[in-house]
Amino acid sequence: MNFFSLIRIEAKKLRRSKILWILAAAAFLLWLPSVLKAHLNFEMQAEGISPEHNFLIQGLLGMSWFLFPAGMVVSTVLLNLTEETNHGILKMLALPIRPALLCLAKFVILAVLAAILILISVGMYFAGGAIASYTQDYPLLLPPLFVLREAGLIYLAAIPMLSIFWLLSVCIRTPIFSIGVGLASIVPSVLIINTKAWFVYPCSYPLFVITAEYGKLAANLNTAPVELVPWLPVAAGITVLCLFISCLRFGRSR
């Protein structure tokens, strides 16, 4: 069984789970406060940012700091729990397939889930922005290409973080502990993005990227810029290392 066949199998399992419904609910809760408090966007013009840009960035800040990472922590655990029913993972490992390929296939599905959550959040942004524009009598929606660009930055920056969450789910077999460690790793991001060593902590990547974008859009706000070196080499190294260890450990504790 080749790698792409494993991905198709994992995708079929995903459709039978409740993960997508959980992600949709999370995206809805993300933009609900932004719609209800849309009037606050007009109070941020002192920072040199327009109401429409502030509406988007504030929502993306909330997503990149907590909701998106937390959603991925829960998704990693749920992906593993789908195999617990009727000892599905043991049946999969009994087939003539390499455990490392199965591990990588599941990580690909996790990356797909991350993309789905971001796309759902973008859809909720346009829906919520349309409602807020009506209630505030002001056009708060930005061009789709600009919004997708900002969302894409979050996704690309999150890949190393996803590899860490996947490693935790593989190595920590107790779901509650895996979720607890994953959620605890999110909290320090707010502090770490204000240090020069932010690039060594992948959980801070999405928040740092959006904070840097915030500084570009707000003329009176100073934020640290994204420097590709040493960030990209460190991020690539962490991702490869986490996936390598995950492949070695996958299925060993079953």
Side-chain angles (χ1 to χ4, degrees):
M1 187 175 296
N2 60 41
F3 182 62
F4 296 102
S5 297
L6 289 173
I7 292 177
R8 286 196 297 270
I9 291 174
E10 294 302 320
K12 290 180 180 178
K13 296 177 185 176
L14 180 63
R15 289 198 296 267
R16 294 195 295 266
S17 70
K18 298 180 180 179
I19 299 178
L20 295 179
W21 290 106
I22 294 175
L23 297 183
F28 173 78
L29 293 175
L30 168 68
W31 290 104
L32 181 60
S34 296
V35 175
L36 296 177
K37 299 181 180 180
H39 63 281
L40 296 179
N41 293 287
F42 299 94
E43 301 176 5
M44 295 298 295
Q45 296 186 46
E47 299 294 341
I49 186 171
S50 64
E52 58 269 30
H53 283 106
N54 192 70
F55 181 78
L56 172 66
I57 290 297
Q58 290 298 329
L60 293 183
L61 284 172
M63 180 174 74
S64 59
W65 174 61
F66 187 78
L67 187 139
F68 178 62
M72 291 301 97
V73 169
V74 174
S75 294
T76 57
V77 175
L78 292 180
L79 278 176
N80 278 326
L81 288 179
T82 58
E83 301 290 3
E84 298 296 334
T85 304
N86 298 321
H87 303 287
I89 186 63
L90 296 178
K91 297 176 182 178
M92 289 293 294
L93 294 175
L95 297 174
I97 58 177
R98 296 174 58 185
L101 285 182
L102 180 57
C103 177
L104 290 177
K106 286 182 173 293
F107 179 76
V108 169
I109 296 300
L110 178 62
V112 171
L113 284 174
I116 290 174
L117 175 54
I118 288 179
L119 289 176
I120 294 176
S121 297
V122 169
M124 292 293 182
Y125 158 77
F126 283 108
I131 296 173
S133 298
Y134 176 78
T135 59
Q136 300 301 313
D137 194 24
Y138 182 91
L140 289 171
L141 289 177
L142 292 167
L145 288 180
F146 179 83
V147 177
L148 289 173
R149 175 186 175 275
E150 299 298 309
L153 289 175
I154 295 177
Y155 179 76
L156 293 176
I159 299 299
M161 178 186 70
L162 295 180
S163 69
I164 288 183
F165 290 161
W166 182 244
L167 175 62
L168 290 175
S169 71
V170 169
C171 295
I172 304 177
R173 298 308 316 152
T174 305
I176 189 66
F177 288 159
S178 180
I179 291 177
V181 173
L183 293 179
S185 68
I186 299 171
V187 179
S189 298
V190 176
L191 299 176
I192 293 175
I193 64 170
N194 294 310
T195 68
K196 293 182 179 181
W198 64 271
F199 55 85
V200 302
Y201 195 70
C203 295
S204 69
Y205 290 177
L207 180 59
F208 186 90
V209 167
I210 293 301
T211 301
E213 290 296 300
Y214 194 10
K216 293 178 182 179
L217 296 173
N220 301 327
L221 185 66
N222 293 322
T223 59
V226 175
E227 297 180 355
L228 298 182
V229 178
W231 177 36
L232 289 185
V234 172
I238 292 174
T239 303
V240 171
L241 179 62
C242 288
L243 290 180
F244 178 73
I245 298 174
S246 298
C247 290
L248 290 179
R249 295 287 303 169
F250 187 78
R252 289 195 175 187
S253 60
R254 302 290 179 175

